[in-house]
Amino acid sequence: MKTLHKYLTLQVTATMLLTVAVFAFVVVLMNVLQGVLPLIFSGHVSLWLAAKATSLLLPFACVYALPMGFITATLLVFGRFSADQELTAARAGGISLLALIAPVLVLSLVCCALSAWFNMDLGPRSRVAFKGLRTEMMAGLVSGELPAGKFIRDFPGYIMFAEKNIGGELQNLVIYKLKDETNIVGEIQSARGRLDSKTRVMNLEDAHFIYFDPHGNLITSLKTYAYDLKFSSQTNQDEPVSVSDMTFFQLRQELRRVQQQKFSTLADTNTLAQVRALGLTPATNAAPATDAALLRDASRLNLQEAEEIRVIMNRQVAFSFACFGFTLVGIPLGIRVHRRETNVGIAIALLLVVVFYAFVMLGESLSSHPELSPHLIVWIPVFLFQAVGGVLLWRANRGV
C-alpha cells in the first residue's frame, strides 16, 4: 500500500509541476507580450528590468495555473493508471479506490492552501508590484517618442491617441480615462499637448472634457483653454489600489468603508458637481436633478460598489477550493476515459476549467446587480464540482 501511495503521489506531483509550469508560462507570456515586450523593443527598459517585471507576474499566473495544472495531472495520471491495468491489479489485491487515492486527496488540500495564499495575498500584491514597476519603466518615456497615429496604453488608467507628433508636440490629441481595463468613464480632446517625462504632466491646450455615467450616458461636457493632466503613478503609496488588485484583507477594509458610507443629505457630497464626479446621476437626464434623486443614485451606486467587492472576495476564496473539486472530478473521469494519450486528458481538463470559470465570470458580470446576489454565484462551480465528483468517485469505487 505504501508503495502504491508513494508511486501515485510522485506521479501526480511531477505531472502537476510540469503542467503548472506550462500554464503559468502561457499566462505570463500573454502579459509580457502586452505590457513588457513593446517597452523592450522601443529601447525604454533594460533586459534586467524586463526580467524583474516578468518574475512579478509568476504568482499572479499561479492563481490560474495551479488549479488547471492539478486537474490536468489527475486526468493524465489516473488515465494511464487505468489504461495500463494497474488499477485492476490494485483492486485484485483487495485495495479500494478510496484507499488508493487518499494521499492524492491530501495533496489537493495542500494545493488548496497554497492556492489560497496565491489568490488572497501573494497574487494581488505581485500584480500591484508589476504595475508599479511598469510605471517606473515608463518614467523615462519622453513626449518626442510617443508614436503618432497609434493608441498608446503606456499610462495606467488612460488610453491616448495623437494624430501627429511634431518635435514632441502632440496634435489632435484624444485621451480616454478608464474605470478599469475595458470601461471608459471620460474623454479629453485637445488640439495640442506636450508631455513632461520628469513630472509626468501632460500640458493640454484647448481641452474639451466629456464625462460618462456607469451606463455610458453623457453626464457633462466642459471646455477649457489650458489644462495640466497629471498621470498617476501606481508606485505612489498614496495612490489607491484598484479593487481587483486588492488582497483579501484589503478588500475587507474597503468593504467596511463602503458599508459605513452614508448619503443622508446632499451636504454629504457638498455639490452637484462632486456628486456627478462620483458617477452619480438621476435616473433620467431630462428632468433637473433633485436631492432625492441624487441620494437614491448615491445609495444605488454604494450597493453596487459593495457588491463588486463581495464578488471579488468570494471569488478569491472560491478559487482556493478549485483544486479539491477538480481532484474529485478528475480522478473518476481519468479512470472512465481509460486513455494514455496526453492530448485527450488536456482537452478534458480545459473543458472542465472553462465550465468552472464560466460561473465565476457570470458572477463578476452581474456585480452591478446586487439583487441577484452575484457573490454567491461564484460558489456554484465549487459545490457543483464537489458534488458531481463525489458521486462519480463513489460509483468508480464500486466499479459502476
Side-chain angles (χ1 to χ4, degrees), residues 146-159:
L146 288 175
K150 295 182 179 180
F151 287 97
I152 304 169
R153 301 174 180 267
D154 297 327
F155 301 94
Y158 296 92
I159 297 178

PDB file of all heavy atoms in Angstrom, residues 146-159:
ATOM      1  N   LEU A 146       6.587  59.456 -28.253  1.00  0.00           N
ATOM      2  CA  LEU A 146       5.212  58.963 -28.343  1.00  0.00           C
ATOM      3  C   LEU A 146       4.831  58.801 -29.807  1.00  0.00           C
ATOM      4  O   LEU A 146       4.891  59.763 -30.576  1.00  0.00           O
ATOM      5  CB  LEU A 146       4.249  59.939 -27.655  1.00  0.00           C
ATOM      6  CG  LEU A 146       4.310  59.990 -26.132  1.00  0.00           C
ATOM      7  CD1 LEU A 146       3.395  61.077 -25.610  1.00  0.00           C
ATOM      8  CD2 LEU A 146       3.909  58.646 -25.540  1.00  0.00           C
ATOM      9  N   PRO A 147       4.445  57.602 -30.219  1.00  0.00           N
ATOM     10  CA  PRO A 147       4.130  57.395 -31.639  1.00  0.00           C
ATOM     11  C   PRO A 147       2.823  58.067 -32.019  1.00  0.00           C
ATOM     12  O   PRO A 147       1.864  58.092 -31.251  1.00  0.00           O
ATOM     13  CB  PRO A 147       4.032  55.875 -31.760  1.00  0.00           C
ATOM     14  CG  PRO A 147       3.645  55.420 -30.386  1.00  0.00           C
ATOM     15  CD  PRO A 147       4.298  56.376 -29.432  1.00  0.00           C
ATOM     16  N   ALA A 148       2.785  58.615 -33.208  1.00  0.00           N
ATOM     17  CA  ALA A 148       1.572  59.248 -33.720  1.00  0.00           C
ATOM     18  C   ALA A 148       0.760  58.227 -34.504  1.00  0.00           C
ATOM     19  O   ALA A 148       1.294  57.292 -35.099  1.00  0.00           O
ATOM     20  CB  ALA A 148       1.931  60.432 -34.609  1.00  0.00           C
ATOM     21  N   GLY A 149      -0.572  58.423 -34.477  1.00  0.00           N
ATOM     22  CA  GLY A 149      -1.445  57.545 -35.235  1.00  0.00           C
ATOM     23  C   GLY A 149      -1.655  56.186 -34.606  1.00  0.00           C
ATOM     24  O   GLY A 149      -2.161  55.274 -35.267  1.00  0.00           O
ATOM     25  N   LYS A 150      -1.272  56.011 -33.335  1.00  0.00           N
ATOM     26  CA  LYS A 150      -1.445  54.733 -32.651  1.00  0.00           C
ATOM     27  C   LYS A 150      -2.068  54.958 -31.274  1.00  0.00           C
ATOM     28  O   LYS A 150      -1.882  56.003 -30.669  1.00  0.00           O
ATOM     29  CB  LYS A 150      -0.102  54.015 -32.483  1.00  0.00           C
ATOM     30  CG  LYS A 150       0.553  53.607 -33.795  1.00  0.00           C
ATOM     31  CD  LYS A 150       1.856  52.865 -33.521  1.00  0.00           C
ATOM     32  CE  LYS A 150       2.513  52.429 -34.819  1.00  0.00           C
ATOM     33  NZ  LYS A 150       3.790  51.710 -34.563  1.00  0.00           N
ATOM     34  N   PHE A 151      -2.802  53.952 -30.790  1.00  0.00           N
ATOM     35  CA  PHE A 151      -3.360  54.008 -29.455  1.00  0.00           C
ATOM     36  C   PHE A 151      -2.269  53.625 -28.458  1.00  0.00           C
ATOM     37  O   PHE A 151      -1.679  52.547 -28.547  1.00  0.00           O
ATOM     38  CB  PHE A 151      -4.563  53.076 -29.324  1.00  0.00           C
ATOM     39  CG  PHE A 151      -5.787  53.579 -30.031  1.00  0.00           C
ATOM     40  CD1 PHE A 151      -6.098  53.138 -31.303  1.00  0.00           C
ATOM     41  CD2 PHE A 151      -6.629  54.504 -29.418  1.00  0.00           C
ATOM     42  CE1 PHE A 151      -7.213  53.610 -31.972  1.00  0.00           C
ATOM     43  CE2 PHE A 151      -7.747  54.975 -30.064  1.00  0.00           C
ATOM     44  CZ  PHE A 151      -8.043  54.535 -31.349  1.00  0.00           C
ATOM     45  N   ILE A 152      -2.000  54.521 -27.495  1.00  0.00           N
ATOM     46  CA  ILE A 152      -0.918  54.345 -26.528  1.00  0.00           C
ATOM     47  C   ILE A 152      -1.537  53.937 -25.193  1.00  0.00           C
ATOM     48  O   ILE A 152      -2.354  54.660 -24.621  1.00  0.00           O
ATOM     49  CB  ILE A 152      -0.117  55.650 -26.366  1.00  0.00           C
ATOM     50  CG1 ILE A 152       0.403  56.112 -27.740  1.00  0.00           C
ATOM     51  CG2 ILE A 152       1.040  55.452 -25.400  1.00  0.00           C
ATOM     52  CD1 ILE A 152       0.975  57.504 -27.717  1.00  0.00           C
ATOM     53  N   ARG A 153      -1.115  52.780 -24.669  1.00  0.00           N
ATOM     54  CA  ARG A 153      -1.637  52.255 -23.400  1.00  0.00           C
ATOM     55  C   ARG A 153      -0.542  52.210 -22.333  1.00  0.00           C
ATOM     56  O   ARG A 153      -0.598  51.374 -21.427  1.00  0.00           O
ATOM     57  CB  ARG A 153      -2.215  50.854 -23.615  1.00  0.00           C
ATOM     58  CG  ARG A 153      -3.347  50.809 -24.636  1.00  0.00           C
ATOM     59  CD  ARG A 153      -3.780  49.372 -24.901  1.00  0.00           C
ATOM     60  NE  ARG A 153      -4.854  49.303 -25.879  1.00  0.00           N
ATOM     61  CZ  ARG A 153      -6.143  49.274 -25.595  1.00  0.00           C
ATOM     62  NH1 ARG A 153      -6.517  49.274 -24.314  1.00  0.00           N
ATOM     63  NH2 ARG A 153      -7.054  49.217 -26.535  1.00  0.00           N
ATOM     64  N   ASP A 154       0.445  53.078 -22.453  1.00  0.00           N
ATOM     65  CA  ASP A 154       1.595  53.032 -21.563  1.00  0.00           C
ATOM     66  C   ASP A 154       1.366  53.739 -20.234  1.00  0.00           C
ATOM     67  O   ASP A 154       2.235  53.684 -19.364  1.00  0.00           O
ATOM     68  CB  ASP A 154       2.825  53.645 -22.254  1.00  0.00           C
ATOM     69  CG  ASP A 154       3.235  52.852 -23.482  1.00  0.00           C
ATOM     70  OD1 ASP A 154       3.051  51.624 -23.471  1.00  0.00           O
ATOM     71  OD2 ASP A 154       3.720  53.463 -24.452  1.00  0.00           O
ATOM     72  N   PHE A 155       0.244  54.421 -20.074  1.00  0.00           N
ATOM     73  CA  PHE A 155      -0.024  55.151 -18.846  1.00  0.00           C
ATOM     74  C   PHE A 155      -1.218  54.509 -18.138  1.00  0.00           C
ATOM     75  O   PHE A 155      -2.323  54.480 -18.700  1.00  0.00           O
ATOM     76  CB  PHE A 155      -0.312  56.629 -19.147  1.00  0.00           C
ATOM     77  CG  PHE A 155       0.822  57.310 -19.853  1.00  0.00           C
ATOM     78  CD1 PHE A 155       0.839  57.400 -21.241  1.00  0.00           C
ATOM     79  CD2 PHE A 155       1.871  57.837 -19.134  1.00  0.00           C
ATOM     80  CE1 PHE A 155       1.884  58.023 -21.895  1.00  0.00           C
ATOM     81  CE2 PHE A 155       2.926  58.462 -19.793  1.00  0.00           C
ATOM     82  CZ  PHE A 155       2.935  58.554 -21.176  1.00  0.00           C
ATOM     83  N   PRO A 156      -1.024  53.967 -16.926  1.00  0.00           N
ATOM     84  CA  PRO A 156      -2.102  53.258 -16.231  1.00  0.00           C
ATOM     85  C   PRO A 156      -3.336  54.131 -16.070  1.00  0.00           C
ATOM     86  O   PRO A 156      -3.269  55.274 -15.631  1.00  0.00           O
ATOM     87  CB  PRO A 156      -1.474  52.936 -14.859  1.00  0.00           C
ATOM     88  CG  PRO A 156       0.001  52.928 -15.115  1.00  0.00           C
ATOM     89  CD  PRO A 156       0.234  53.964 -16.171  1.00  0.00           C
ATOM     90  N   GLY A 157      -4.488  53.590 -16.462  1.00  0.00           N
ATOM     91  CA  GLY A 157      -5.746  54.297 -16.329  1.00  0.00           C
ATOM     92  C   GLY A 157      -6.115  55.153 -17.513  1.00  0.00           C
ATOM     93  O   GLY A 157      -7.174  55.791 -17.494  1.00  0.00           O
ATOM     94  N   TYR A 158      -5.270  55.172 -18.556  1.00  0.00           N
ATOM     95  CA  TYR A 158      -5.527  56.035 -19.706  1.00  0.00           C
ATOM     96  C   TYR A 158      -5.194  55.305 -21.009  1.00  0.00           C
ATOM     97  O   TYR A 158      -4.335  54.424 -21.045  1.00  0.00           O
ATOM     98  CB  TYR A 158      -4.676  57.311 -19.639  1.00  0.00           C
ATOM     99  CG  TYR A 158      -4.987  58.215 -18.474  1.00  0.00           C
ATOM    100  CD1 TYR A 158      -4.288  58.087 -17.270  1.00  0.00           C
ATOM    101  CD2 TYR A 158      -5.971  59.190 -18.560  1.00  0.00           C
ATOM    102  CE1 TYR A 158      -4.568  58.911 -16.190  1.00  0.00           C
ATOM    103  CE2 TYR A 158      -6.255  60.019 -17.483  1.00  0.00           C
ATOM    104  CZ  TYR A 158      -5.552  59.873 -16.312  1.00  0.00           C
ATOM    105  OH  TYR A 158      -5.832  60.691 -15.246  1.00  0.00           O
ATOM    106  N   ILE A 159      -5.897  55.688 -22.060  1.00  0.00           N
ATOM    107  CA  ILE A 159      -5.548  55.315 -23.430  1.00  0.00           C
ATOM    108  C   ILE A 159      -5.428  56.618 -24.222  1.00  0.00           C
ATOM    109  O   ILE A 159      -6.316  57.465 -24.173  1.00  0.00           O
ATOM    110  CB  ILE A 159      -6.613  54.403 -24.067  1.00  0.00           C
ATOM    111  CG1 ILE A 159      -6.722  53.083 -23.307  1.00  0.00           C
ATOM    112  CG2 ILE A 159      -6.259  54.122 -25.524  1.00  0.00           C
ATOM    113  CD1 ILE A 159      -7.787  52.156 -23.867  1.00  0.00           C
TER     114      ILE A 159
END
